[in-house]
Amino acid sequence: MPIGEITRGTTNTNRLRRVDRWIAALPALRRAAAPLVVDLGYGASGVTAFELQRRLARVRPEVEVVGLEISPSRVSTAVAQLAAVRAGTSGSGFAPDARVGFALGGFEVPLQGGRGATVIRAFNVLRQYDEAEVAAAWHRMTGRLTPGGVLVEGTCDEIGRVSSWVALDARGPVSFTLSLRLAGLDRPSIVAERLPKVLIHRNVEGESIHSLLVALDRAWQHNAPLSVYGPRQRWVAAVGALVAEGWPVLGPAARWRLGELTLPWASVAPRGFAWS
């Protein structure tokens, strides 16, 4: 039987564009001999799996995406969508030959032939679980990765303007990323509402994620005069201010311009967290 619980299954077109863009740049995806990516818990519609395959195919045309859901009715819906896409009658614009499939499954990540996944994207799934259940789910999913594979687990708002996620490999959490739509952004700490389950209750005094969001809000406000040049310039300056304060920001400035900020997991790990 699939491992997990049936969650609300909210699905919106284009909701996961920010994390998909980040996955497309992963060395694990670009270097894999035969990349297989799992969309775990895709929800009431299979649209996010089709979108993921289309975005990743721009850098790896041969990429295969498998959508897994714990709900049999959701799998049936997605399979019907796939049939319509294959027949060219869906009106969705997805390529009839897109390498996409759907199956019943949960955190055990069942794949035909016992294959491992290059990347597992589990978004807006663990948000509906208890924090105490996160580690076991992480362990199960990372155990289904190919060597060098990556689990991307996180959450976002309903229209994809606010996102955050943790990247893990077989050794445990590696990094934390937040990604925000900069136009109209009031303060970066709005992401507190959409932190991964392991962090969402840790935005309090004494926790590293709280310190990060306080520092980021302060840097964003301090660089408000740069808004006349656009929100990207303001954001890049704010991230640069974090670097100057000693925060070990990862990645090139080109990623910052996308509204992203990535740090090593150790910089935001909850107090007492241990991977074993």
Side-chain angles (χ1 to χ4, degrees):
M1 294 293 292
I3 298 173
E5 301 175 8
I6 297 177
T7 55
R8 289 193 298 270
T10 304
T11 307
N12 282 322
T13 301
N14 211 31
R15 185 183 187 188
L16 303 184
R17 60 193 180 277
R18 293 185 173 275
V19 66
D20 290 355
R21 179 174 59 193
W22 191 84
I23 291 172
L26 279 175
L29 174 76
R30 297 192 172 219
R31 297 171 183 169
L36 172 60
V37 179
V38 172
D39 183 6
L40 183 67
Y42 54 82
S45 165
V47 66
T48 59
F50 287 108
E51 290 177 336
L52 178 61
Q53 196 277 337
R54 182 167 63 185
R55 289 165 181 152
L56 300 188
R58 294 168 185 163
V59 296
R60 293 300 306 268
E62 70 276 41
V63 68
E64 180 182 353
V65 172
V66 175
L68 294 178
E69 249 298 340
I70 200 169
S71 164
S73 64
R74 293 175 187 170
V75 175
S76 296
T77 297
V79 169
Q81 289 177 310
L82 178 60
V85 169
R86 293 280 188 265
T89 60
S90 67
S92 64
F94 295 119
D97 60 347
R99 296 169 62 85
V100 178
F102 297 95
L104 187 69
F107 296 133
E108 78 285 4
V109 192
L111 296 170
Q112 286 189 347
R115 295 175 66 188
T118 308
V119 179
I120 300 172
R121 185 191 66 187
F123 240 65
N124 301 306
V125 176
L126 287 174
R127 176 179 177 81
Q128 300 173 51
Y129 284 71
D130 291 334
E131 183 180 339
E133 299 176 277
V134 171
W138 278 1
H139 275 285
R140 285 189 182 277
M141 290 186 284
T142 54
R144 297 296 296 122
L145 295 170
T146 57
V150 178
L151 165 64
V152 184
E153 189 273 307
T155 189
C156 66
D157 67 346
E158 287 74 13
I159 55 177
R161 294 183 175 183
V162 179
S163 303
S164 68
W165 57 86
V166 178
L168 306 92
D169 60 19
R171 298 166 296 177
V174 175
S175 65
F176 166 75
T177 299
L178 62 86
S179 180
L180 305 171
R181 183 178 185 271
L182 299 179
L185 180 65
D186 180 30
R187 63 188 191 286
S189 63
I190 191 175
V191 77
E193 303 170 359
R194 300 292 172 170
L195 290 171
K197 191 67 181 189
V198 72
L199 294 174
I200 198 166
H201 301 301
R202 302 304 186 110
N203 185 30
V204 294
E205 290 281 354
E207 292 281 1
S208 296
I209 187 64
H210 178 74
S211 299
L212 171 65
L213 296 186
V214 169
L216 187 54
D217 273 359
R218 182 172 61 244
W220 179 251
Q221 183 59 37
H222 178 75
N223 286 284
L226 292 178
S227 295
V228 296
Y229 301 108
R232 285 185 177 179
Q233 290 298 107
R234 182 181 178 184
W235 178 259
V236 168
V239 175
L242 291 186
V243 174
E245 290 179 18
W247 288 93
V249 176
L250 302 175
R255 302 301 304 186
W256 307 354
R257 291 178 58 81
L258 300 174
E260 288 181 7
L261 172 64
T262 298
L263 299 105
W265 169 250
S267 300
V268 298
R271 294 179 63 181
F273 177 87
W275 178 263
S276 58

